Amino acid sequence: MSLRTALVAGEAPIESCTTAFWWSAGFFAAGALITFLLHRRGVPQQDTSAAPVVRM
């Protein structure tokens, strides 16, 4: 095995872990952005004429 082949074989696992990290960071950021955009602000308004709700 030549030196160049050995170096490439040694760097391959690092590159794959780095790629996986950045993909997961991107998915996490996209999920955080979607959550931020869909989250409702403020306190929900209570409808006094609605049927009672049981919470467990």
Side-chain angles (χ1 to χ4, degrees), residues 26-51:
F27 285 130
F28 182 80
L33 179 65
I34 291 169
T35 301
F36 176 75
L37 293 174
L38 293 178
H39 185 70
R40 295 181 185 169
R41 289 164 181 71
V43 179
Q45 299 297 322
Q46 299 292 328
D47 186 6
T48 56
S49 63

Side-chain angles (χ1 to χ4, degrees), residues 11-22:
E11 290 178 3
I14 296 170
E15 284 293 322
S16 66
C17 287
T18 303
T19 302
F21 171 80
W22 284 113

